[in-house]
């Protein structure tokens, strides 16, 4: 039998499509690579671009709009006025000062703090329910600064963290093992950049844990291969900078994959920079952001994976927490 009888002359049900709006603040190499990838992956219905340089900003907007014949229909707007960002579901921050030669990380950090004080409050005011995703460096401290300046709950303030480190790690392992990088599950955690921690015990290829098979077969050589691969992740970042002066494509794809999981509620498990106090022995009063594998969906961080860490790995996480905490206390915010 029929559960329902249609009303006579009823109109077809209206399609309630969810309108997804993404803001990108900072339209340089990284911001535009992210915007372009979000467009080609059909993630958003609307993209708002903000930058401090009005001419560059308008030029990038027009240049993206001119691709409309080849892309799904997306509203692309830009302004130096944050009103254009109102109602965003996700705001991605790639704005930042470039590290001057010989500049210390703390000097760069002070300059970026001044920039974030101008960016974060209006973003939070115009989109009080959005997710804030920080890419600018030093990303872990700047994500902490964004959390403090926005007043948002920690689940909605995320840093790209070791997402890029992990994708380079997976590429290098896959290249060495001659398999598809999508079949290599490997995480780098902790501080983004030079001090990231490779989780050997969680590396698996096609579901086969790499370490246990190594220990069983006592293949010492491969432990050196793993350490060399971890070092190659850092070296490859410096190599790209020395060759082309910046990085864009890999960070663009890695941030677009975060945006997709966040806005299409994919519940993927990805390494991102999150408020790590209380995890793995990091003291509750250490309000630092470090990368751990977390479940990512519409509410931002849905949960942190309880991965098994060796004592050495946990110790390195706690040491990174102390380094970041000391850096943050010198900022006076
Ligand atoms: N987290 C990662 O894995 C990762 C990877 C690569 C790059 N990065 C970082 O991303 C950042 C951007 O790199 P890039 O190569 O795109 O730099 P870039 O100089 O090309 O772009 C930075 C943009 O920010 C804009 N900007 C500066 N101050 C601003 C403000 N107050 N408001 C709005 N916009 C402002 C500039 O006008 C410029 O267009 C850097 O901090 C870099 O270290 C992070
Ligand atoms: O691929 C990159 N490129 C950058 C870059 C992009 C434009 S200019 C420099 C890079 C490359 C190499 C070093 C480095 N150091 C740095 C440290 C603190 C800062 F505030 C800014 C930059 N940064 C920015 C960055 O974070 C990355 S990933 C990265 C960096 C170092 C080690 C491992 C990884 Cl996976």
């Amino acid at each position: 039998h029929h559960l329902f009888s249609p009303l006579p002359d009823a109109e077809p049900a209206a399609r309630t499509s969810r309108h997804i709006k993404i803001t990108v603040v900072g339209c340089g190499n990284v911001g535009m690579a992210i915007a372009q990838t979000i467009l080609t992956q059909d993630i958003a219905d609307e993209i708002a671009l903000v930058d401090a340089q009005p001419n560059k900003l308008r030029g990038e907007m027009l240049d993206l709009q001119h691709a409309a014949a080849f892309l799904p229909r997306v509203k692309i707007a830009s302004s130096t006025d944050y009103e254009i960002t109102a109602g965003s579901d996700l705001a991605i921050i790639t704005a930042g000062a470039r590290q001057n030669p010989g500049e210390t990380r703390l000097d760069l950090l002070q300059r970026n703090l001044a920039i974030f004080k101008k960016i974060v409050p209006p973003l939070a005011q115009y989109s009080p329910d959005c997710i804030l995703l920080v890419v600018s460096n030093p990303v872990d401290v700047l994500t902490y600064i964004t959390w403090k300046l926005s007043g948002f709950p920690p689940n909605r303030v995320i840093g790209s963290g070791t997402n890029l480190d992990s994708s380079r790690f997976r590429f290098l392992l896959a290249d060495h093992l001659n398999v598809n990088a999508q079949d290599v599950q490997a995480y780098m955690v902790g501080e983004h950049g030079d001090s990231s921690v490779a989780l050997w015990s969680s590396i698996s290829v096609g579901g086969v844990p790499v370490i246990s098979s190594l220990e069983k077969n006592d293949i010492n050589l491969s432990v050196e291969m793993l350490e060399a691969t971890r070092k190659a992740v850092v070296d490859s970042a410096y190599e790209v900078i020395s060759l082309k002066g910046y990085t864009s494509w890999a960070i663009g794809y890695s941030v677009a994959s975060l945006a997709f999981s966040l806005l299409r509620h994919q519940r993927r498990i990805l390494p991102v920079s999150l408020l790590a106090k209380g995890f793995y022995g990091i003291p509750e009063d250490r309000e630092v952001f470090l990368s751990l594998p977390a479940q990512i969906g519409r509410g931002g961080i849905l949960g942190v994976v309880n991965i098994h860490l060796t004592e050495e790995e946990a110790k390195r996480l706690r040491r990174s927490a102390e380094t970041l905490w000391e850096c943050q206390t010198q900022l006076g915010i």
Side-chain angles (χ1 to χ4, degrees):
H1 69 282
H2 293 284
L3 278 178
F4 303 105
S5 304
L7 273 179
D9 306 325
E11 65 180 4
R15 222 174 67 79
T16 52
S17 71
R18 200 180 134 67
H19 183 92
I20 292 178
K21 177 170 181 176
I22 299 178
T23 284
V24 177
V25 181
C27 297
N29 310 310
V30 172
M32 291 319 293
I34 292 169
Q36 187 260 347
T37 312
I38 282 171
L39 270 176
T40 48
Q41 293 185 357
D42 195 9
I43 298 174
D45 302 289
E46 184 175 353
I47 292 182
L49 302 174
V50 176
D51 197 289
Q53 303 177 58
N55 292 343
K56 170 161 175 56
L57 178 60
R58 180 163 173 76
E60 290 289 4
M61 176 193 74
L62 291 175
D63 200 4
L64 270 189
Q65 286 175 339
H66 297 162
F70 314 105
L71 289 169
R73 180 170 165 70
V74 180
K75 180 172 184 275
I76 304 171
S78 73
S79 172
T80 53
D81 182 335
Y82 282 83
E83 189 174 3
I84 194 134
T85 68
S88 292
D89 296 284
L90 172 65
I92 303 170
I93 307 175
T94 75
R98 302 288 284 260
Q99 200 167 3
N100 296 322
E103 182 178 32
T104 67
R105 281 171 62 111
L106 200 58
D107 293 342
L108 175 73
L109 191 47
Q110 293 288 5
R111 285 197 297 136
N112 275 330
L113 172 59
I115 289 173
F116 272 55
K117 281 179 175 174
K118 285 189 284 186
I119 291 175
V120 177
L123 275 182
Q125 181 202 334
Y126 280 110
S127 304
D129 302 322
C130 80
I131 293 166
L132 292 166
L133 176 53
V134 180
V135 183
S136 313
N137 264 321
V139 63
D140 299 307
V141 178
L142 286 176
T143 309
Y144 165 79
I145 285 169
T146 300
W147 174 54
K148 281 292 179 191
L149 290 173
S150 67
F152 281 12
N155 56 296
R156 287 199 282 123
V157 184
I158 303 170
S160 64
T162 57
N163 203 46
L164 175 59
D165 317 51
S166 301
S167 55
R168 285 189 173 131
F169 190 40
R170 291 170 63 193
F171 160 71
L172 291 167
L173 284 170
D175 195 40
H176 189 91
L177 299 168
N178 211 5
V179 297
N180 186 315
Q182 303 199 29
D183 296 327
V184 175
Q185 191 159 61
Y187 291 107
M188 299 189 90
V189 297
E191 248 185 288
H192 162 68
D194 301 350
S195 325
S196 56
V197 177
L199 294 187
W200 302 133
S201 51
S202 71
I203 300 176
S204 70
V205 179
V208 177
V210 166
I211 280 290
S212 56
S213 63
L214 294 183
E215 273 145 17
K216 236 175 264 146
N217 312 336
D218 189 25
I219 309 174
N220 286 326
L221 174 73
S222 302
V223 175
E224 274 133 24
M225 176 272 279
L226 289 169
E227 183 43 39
T229 307
R230 188 209 69 80
K231 187 178 174 305
V233 168
V234 177
D235 295 346
S236 60
Y238 284 88
E239 185 179 10
V240 173
I241 293 307
S242 68
L243 293 171
K244 70 179 257 191
Y246 61 91
T247 50
S248 52
W249 305 128
I251 184 65
Y253 279 94
S254 89
V255 170
S257 85
L258 288 176
F260 192 88
S261 188
L262 286 164
L263 298 174
R264 298 291 180 82
H265 201 44
Q266 295 297 298
R267 291 183 166 275
R268 288 199 55 204
I269 293 174
L270 300 168
V272 289
S273 192
L274 51 85
L275 183 57
K277 69 177 183 176
F279 288 101
Y280 303 105
I282 296 172
E284 284 292 342
D285 64 349
R286 290 299 187 258
E287 292 187 328
V288 292
F289 279 70
L290 286 169
S291 290
L292 289 168
Q295 199 173 44
I296 308 289
R298 188 162 294 134
I301 305 277
L302 306 177
V304 180
V305 177
N306 297 319
I307 39 172
H308 167 72
L309 288 187
T310 63
E311 190 37 44
E312 173 56 28
E313 288 162 346
K315 202 160 52 174
R316 290 180 62 185
L317 264 192
R318 289 193 291 272
R319 202 179 307 143
S320 284
E322 280 310 305
T323 312
L324 290 171
W325 182 249
E326 276 149 34
C327 186
Q328 286 168 191
T329 49
Q330 291 177 40
L331 285 173
I333 59 166

